[in-house]
Amino acid sequence: NSEHSRHWFFGGKMVIDGEEKPTTLFKLVKKPYEVSKPNNSVIAFHDNSSALRGATFPKPIKVLIPDKTSAGCAPGAMTEQERQYH
């Protein structure tokens, strides 16, 4: 019962309230990707996977990190730190 066995469903005709629609469900799902170029998609709709291009920050940004003095899952203090993300 994998996703591969459902391709017939997404690629088949759509009939809603007795009216056949001009597109398939799969084409409907892919439409935003196709009309929004350029976009952040590195891989899309390929072998049931996708990947997005991450944001690039020219300088470190401030983030809140849990304070190491908190024990286990108990609520605790947060510490502001600068981090460089790529």
Side-chain angles (χ1 to χ4, degrees):
N1 196 11
S2 72
E3 188 274 334
H4 280 283
S5 67
R6 295 189 184 103
H7 280 209
W8 64 269
F9 178 82
F10 289 98
K13 289 190 266 183
M14 273 200 308
V15 179
I16 300 174
D17 295 332
E19 180 183 334
E20 186 175 333
K21 300 300 176 182
T23 188
T24 66
L25 185 57
F26 197 56
K27 287 180 183 176
L28 189 64
V29 169
K30 289 175 84 172
K31 180 110 177 149
Y33 167 74
E34 292 167 353
V35 299
S36 64
K37 299 209 179 198
N39 54 41
N40 284 338
S41 293
V42 178
I43 301 169
F45 304 105
H46 179 75
D47 197 27
N48 300 324
S49 64
S50 62
L52 296 176
R53 186 173 292 109
T56 304
F57 299 97
K59 60 182 182 177
I61 60 172
K62 292 181 179 180
V63 295
L64 291 174
I65 305 293
D67 192 343
K68 296 200 187 303
T69 60
S70 300
C73 296
M78 303 290 278
T79 304
E80 186 178 274
Q81 295 180 7
E82 284 193 353
R83 295 280 173 99
Q84 179 67 48
Y85 291 101
H86 303 280

